[in-house]
């Protein structure tokens, strides 16, 4: 990962103040690498959502800069349109994102704005509806959808634009276990297809098997940046950031202490643990 060509986006010394001068981000430095699965963790108010809105150009840094593929972000209208074609953001609340009357109209809206040909639009919408299991309700009004369906449509909104970097703010919030599992599987599929995925979440149990790297935000600063094992094994760090250890890591550590599992074995899924215990 040391090659500069691997860096898709870079945040340099970024600070952001709201109009009332509240400091939301304080000299944040961060790299996002191509094709990685990056989790941003931190308690409410730590700056996660503000960071994401800076990455997408909705907010402009008060200080510092953001580079995409080595070039500083251009905040002109044309520059921001180009950035948002490459960097898609899915908001925590789908109702803040969905505004068209029908599901199909919602998903195709951005493509019509790009001026694409009708057959291209139809093909892209068909593909993303199939990929996210939206086809059965694609003709429904968006306000009739369940929370899980709205979440999938809000992801489809962005995915249909074929971004290089997909950012999701608390993608599992307010979802029942079935829909949360569905979103989890969708994120894995995105990563496997080569899209760089960045998510924020409090859910350590979902992040531990999924992420390549975890960044912990606390009080507007980056507190830590490392592998899931490095981050979640540091109890004092988790306490400082008000985060929990993943359940599977707790179980593994108990098995290590009991001599049942070798110290160098760190299963990231229940299936891996089961194999190690055979």
């Amino acid at each position: 990962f040391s090659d500069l060509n691997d860096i898709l986006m870079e945040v340099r010394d970024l600070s952001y103040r709201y109009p009332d001068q509240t400091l939301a981000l304080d000299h944040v430095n961060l790299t996002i690498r191509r094709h990685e699965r990056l989790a941003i963790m931190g308690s409410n108010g730590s700056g996660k959502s503000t960071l994401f809105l800076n990455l997408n150009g909705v907010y402009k840094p008060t200080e510092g800069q953001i580079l995409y593929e080595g070039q500083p972000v251009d905040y002109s209208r044309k520059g921001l349109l180009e950035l948002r074609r490459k960097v898609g953001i899915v908001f925590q609340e789908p109702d803040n994102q969905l505004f068209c009357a029908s599901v199909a109209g919602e998903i195709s809206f951005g493509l019509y704005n790009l001026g694409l040909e009708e057959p291209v639009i139809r093909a892209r919408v068909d593909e993303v509806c199939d990929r996210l299991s939206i086809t059965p309700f694609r003709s429904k009004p968006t306000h009739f959808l369940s929370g899980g369906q709205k979440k999938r449509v809000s992801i489809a909104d962005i995915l249909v634009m074929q971004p290089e970097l997909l950012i999701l703010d608390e993608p599992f919030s307010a979802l029942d276990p079935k829909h949360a599992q569905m979103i989890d599987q969708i994120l894995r599929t995105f990563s496997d297809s080569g899209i760089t995925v960045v998510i924020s979440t409090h859910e350590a149990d979902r992040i531990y098997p999924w992420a390549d790297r975890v960044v912990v935000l606390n009080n507007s600063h980056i507190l830590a940046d490392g592998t899931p094992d490095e981050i979640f094994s540091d109890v004092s760090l988790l306490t400082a950031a008000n985060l929990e250890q993943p359940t599977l890591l707790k179980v593994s550590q108990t098995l290590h202490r009991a001599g049942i599992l070798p110290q160098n074995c760190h299963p990231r899924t229940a299936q891996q643990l089961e194999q190690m215990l055979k």
Side-chain angles (χ1 to χ4, degrees):
F1 279 132
S2 59
D3 191 335
L4 288 177
N5 290 328
D6 281 327
I7 297 175
L8 186 62
M9 190 171 237
E10 187 177 2
V11 176
R12 291 184 180 172
D13 214 25
L14 184 150
S15 295
Y16 183 81
R17 289 184 183 274
Y18 283 101
D20 66 0
Q21 294 305 301
T22 300
L23 184 63
L25 295 170
D26 189 8
H27 298 287
V28 168
N29 290 281
L30 175 69
T31 56
I32 300 172
R33 299 160 184 151
R34 291 182 193 279
H35 314 310
E36 80 171 331
R37 302 174 179 185
L38 173 62
I40 309 287
M41 301 194 75
S43 55
N44 289 335
S46 61
K48 301 188 301 295
S49 297
T50 305
L51 174 62
F52 284 179
L53 290 168
N54 274 270
L55 295 181
N56 186 245
V58 175
Y59 292 163
K60 185 177 180 180
T62 309
E63 295 177 47
Q65 65 176 170
I66 296 173
L67 290 84
Y68 191 84
E69 295 187 314
Q71 298 300 313
V73 169
D74 173 7
Y75 290 93
S76 69
R77 185 173 183 276
K78 181 183 176 185
L80 288 176
L81 281 172
E82 186 61 28
L83 177 71
R84 288 168 191 161
R85 286 179 65 175
K86 296 176 178 177
V87 182
I89 184 168
V90 178
F91 296 104
Q92 181 175 351
E93 297 297 335
D95 288 335
N96 293 339
Q97 188 171 327
L98 307 178
F99 61 91
C100 286
S102 73
V103 170
E106 177 69 40
I107 297 170
S108 60
F109 180 81
L111 300 180
Y112 280 111
N113 267 359
L114 292 179
L116 298 182
E117 297 290 328
E118 188 78 33
V120 175
I121 293 174
R122 200 158 40 239
R124 281 212 206 172
V125 172
D126 287 349
E127 182 196 0
V128 80
C129 284
D130 184 51
R131 198 169 175 186
L132 300 186
S133 303
I134 288 169
T135 303
F137 56 85
R138 64 180 286 173
S139 59
K140 277 190 175 183
T142 50
H143 63 273
F144 281 171
L145 303 182
S146 70
Q149 289 171 335
K150 284 181 179 179
K151 185 77 85 171
R152 274 182 280 160
V153 172
S154 67
I155 293 173
D157 265 3
I158 304 304
L159 190 64
V160 79
M161 305 292 284
Q162 298 182 345
E164 297 173 337
L165 171 59
L166 183 64
I167 299 170
L168 301 103
D169 194 4
E170 299 285 355
F172 307 108
S173 68
L175 293 182
D176 59 44
K178 175 188 171 184
H179 283 105
Q181 185 62 36
M182 188 178 290
I183 298 300
D184 189 70
Q185 191 53 52
I186 287 167
L187 296 187
R188 291 177 188 280
T189 304
F190 291 165
S191 298
D192 292 343
S193 69
I195 297 175
T196 302
V197 182
V198 178
I199 71 173
S200 72
T201 182
H202 294 94
E203 299 196 29
D205 285 337
R206 292 200 179 277
I207 287 304
Y208 188 53
W210 178 83
D212 298 318
R213 189 161 61 107
V214 178
V215 169
V216 179
L217 266 177
N218 190 50
N219 294 329
S220 311
H221 295 84
I222 288 184
L223 195 59
D225 182 340
T227 66
D229 279 324
E230 289 167 345
I231 297 297
F232 291 122
S233 296
D234 190 335
V235 177
S236 60
L237 166 66
L238 297 179
T239 302
N242 200 26
L243 296 172
E244 292 281 328
Q245 260 193 332
T247 305
L248 191 63
L249 181 59
K250 291 179 184 176
V251 170
S252 299
Q253 289 176 338
T254 300
L255 295 174
H256 288 152
R257 287 192 293 271
I260 297 169
L261 199 65
Q263 289 293 332
N264 61 346
C265 288
H266 299 284
R268 299 269 290 276
T269 67
Q271 291 82 359
Q272 289 176 358
L273 177 59
E274 193 177 339
Q275 285 297 117
M276 290 175 183
L277 292 175
K278 280 183 178 178

